[in-house]
Amino acid sequence: MTVSNVNCYGKLYVVATPIGNLADMTFRAVDVLKKVDLIAAEDTRHVKMLLQHYGIINKLVSLHQYNEDKASSVLLEKLRAGQSIALVSDAGTPLLSDPGMPLVKMVKDADLDVVPIPGACALVAALSAAGLPVTQFSFEGFLPRTSSARKAFFSERVMAPKTWIFYESCHRILASLQDMAEVLPLDRQIVIARELTKLHETIVKTSLGSALELVGQNDNMRKGEFVVIVDGAVANKNDEVITPEHKKLLQVLLKECSIKTAVAMAVEITGVRKKLLYQVALKINKEKET
Ligand code: SAM
């Protein structure tokens, strides 16, 4: 395989690397990393371990979120000079919640070749084993870091008909599920895919309520790396959701009327089932007492 040609522009290879299990490296990825003139890596120390494992000796330059605009321009000039370059991130497929987008855009805009070398990706691995609809899905990357921003994020997606997926860290997995439980119905199906391809790989498909209990009560379920997949609203036709607006309405009504009247009025205004609104009203009153 020729990956470089001194007489014409070089190519940019976007190379996926393992997300845990080193055996998930493809033969083609190894071949490309050996033959390119240069490897642009998110963390050169990290990728050195991978290269060592596969006996790859090559030049490395760093391309991370803090230098990627400047580094990408330099790399574009090298491609123009005929050098071939491989782009890798710390794990999985570059660009997917990882650096690389400015470089790939720059190279495409310059009309040079970008060649994908597919392989591991946490999002796709999780989806493939989740058992939730995959015909239409939306990848959301990492969630906002504050609780209020996360709740707003969930509110926007509460009625989304598609499956949706996000990445989460061990530091925020519980807080994210808690916020989700305040917005989404507790019986919504979700999948928590943890430590994929690694020793402690765990893929749990259950209701949001049970997932919250599981992660809250089991220390191990708050360790490692996570992909969370959420079933779309349409998949469950009986899904009736309490949105933050419904809750706000009840809060206002409960200031003025009895629980019975407040719930009756809320049913009239929102069309949501009485039983559901009653449960929320009880919760609001309980919160007021504490
Ligand atoms: N580019 C990578 C990919 O293709 O999946 C993702 C990089 S992103 C910076 C890292 C996040 O991906 C982690 O915080 C976690 O949410 C998810 N992730 C990466 N490896 C994972 C694994 N082995 N198991 C579960 N989630 C993983």
Side-chain angles (χ1 to χ4, degrees), residues 16-21 42 89-99 119-124 126 139 141-142 166-170 193-198 224-228:
T17 56
I19 55 169
N21 190 328
E42 184 182 5
S89 62
D90 285 354
T93 303
L95 278 75
L96 273 291
S97 296
D98 265 343
C121 177
L123 150 73
V124 177
F139 174 55
F142 284 102
F166 60 91
Y167 284 165
E168 194 49 281
S169 80
C170 54
R194 172 185 162 261
E195 293 290 88
L196 291 167
T197 77
K198 303 184 201 175
E225 299 188 282
F226 295 84
V227 180
V228 179

Side-chain angles (χ1 to χ4, degrees), residues 30 34 50-57:
V30 172
K34 278 183 179 163
L50 181 75
L51 299 189
Q52 227 164 21
H53 185 83
Y54 284 98
I56 300 167
I57 299 168

Side-chain angles (χ1 to χ4, degrees), residues 29-290:
V30 172
D31 206 25
V32 167
L33 293 182
K34 278 183 179 163
K35 290 180 178 163
V36 285
D37 296 301
L38 190 66
I39 300 171
E42 184 182 5
D43 179 342
T44 52
R45 278 170 309 175
H46 186 92
V47 85
K48 262 183 198 159
M49 289 189 277
L50 181 75
L51 299 189
Q52 227 164 21
H53 185 83
Y54 284 98
I56 300 167
I57 299 168
N58 211 331
K59 257 184 281 169
L60 285 167
V61 293
S62 85
L63 180 128
H64 45 72
Q65 58 170 321
Y66 303 107
N67 77 347
E68 61 181 332
D69 287 331
K70 205 168 162 204
S72 298
S73 308
V74 175
L75 292 172
L76 179 61
E77 284 320 303
K78 289 186 187 295
L79 290 167
R80 283 198 166 118
Q83 292 195 18
S84 56
I85 298 172
L87 169 69
V88 296
S89 62
D90 285 354
T93 303
L95 278 75
L96 273 291
S97 296
D98 265 343
M101 184 60 204
L103 175 62
V104 170
K105 184 175 183 314
M106 219 181 259
V107 176
K108 292 297 285 182
D109 289 349
D111 234 1
L112 306 191
D113 289 337
V114 179
V115 183
I117 308 293
C121 177
L123 150 73
V124 177
L127 258 184
S128 71
L132 286 176
V134 293
T135 39
Q136 282 195 310
F137 65 86
S138 150
F139 174 55
E140 309 289 349
F142 284 102
L143 295 190
R145 281 168 179 247
T146 64
S147 175
S148 57
R150 277 197 298 267
K151 283 183 204 159
F153 170 94
F154 293 136
S155 302
E156 281 164 24
R157 281 152 190 83
V158 70
M159 296 306 284
K162 297 176 195 168
T163 300
W164 44 282
I165 302 125
F166 60 91
Y167 284 165
E168 194 49 281
S169 80
C170 54
H171 310 294
R172 280 188 295 275
I173 185 70
L174 183 58
S176 286
L177 292 177
Q178 282 166 340
D179 290 338
M180 201 195 292
E182 287 202 22
V183 181
L184 265 67
L186 291 180
D187 63 354
R188 183 70 67 89
Q189 288 291 292
I190 71 166
V191 171
I192 299 186
R194 172 185 162 261
E195 293 290 88
L196 291 167
T197 77
K198 303 184 201 175
L199 185 62
H200 297 295
E201 179 179 88
T202 317
I203 304 171
V204 185
K205 182 183 182 194
T206 184
S207 66
L208 170 57
S210 308
L212 187 57
E213 248 173 58
L214 182 69
V215 174
Q217 289 170 5
N218 183 341
D219 291 352
N220 287 330
M221 283 301 290
R222 296 191 298 278
K223 290 179 185 157
E225 299 188 282
F226 295 84
V227 180
V228 179
I229 309 182
V230 184
D231 198 4
V234 168
N236 176 3
K237 294 222 165 41
N238 298 322
D239 244 4
E240 217 174 1
V241 292
I242 299 292
T243 65
E245 287 72 32
H246 295 151
K247 198 173 168 189
K248 184 83 205 155
L249 174 69
L250 276 169
Q251 277 166 336
V252 172
L253 290 170
L254 283 167
K255 277 188 195 153
E256 304 297 331
C257 356
S258 69
I259 188 161
K260 198 173 159 202
T261 313
V263 170
M265 288 173 84
V267 170
E268 194 69 27
I269 296 166
T270 63
V272 174
R273 262 182 309 148
K274 186 175 166 186
K275 194 176 162 198
L276 271 181
L277 289 168
Y278 197 78
Q279 282 166 353
V280 180
L282 283 176
K283 208 171 150 200
I284 293 170
N285 276 349
K286 211 169 160 195
E287 281 167 4
K288 271 199 285 191
E289 286 163 18
T290 54

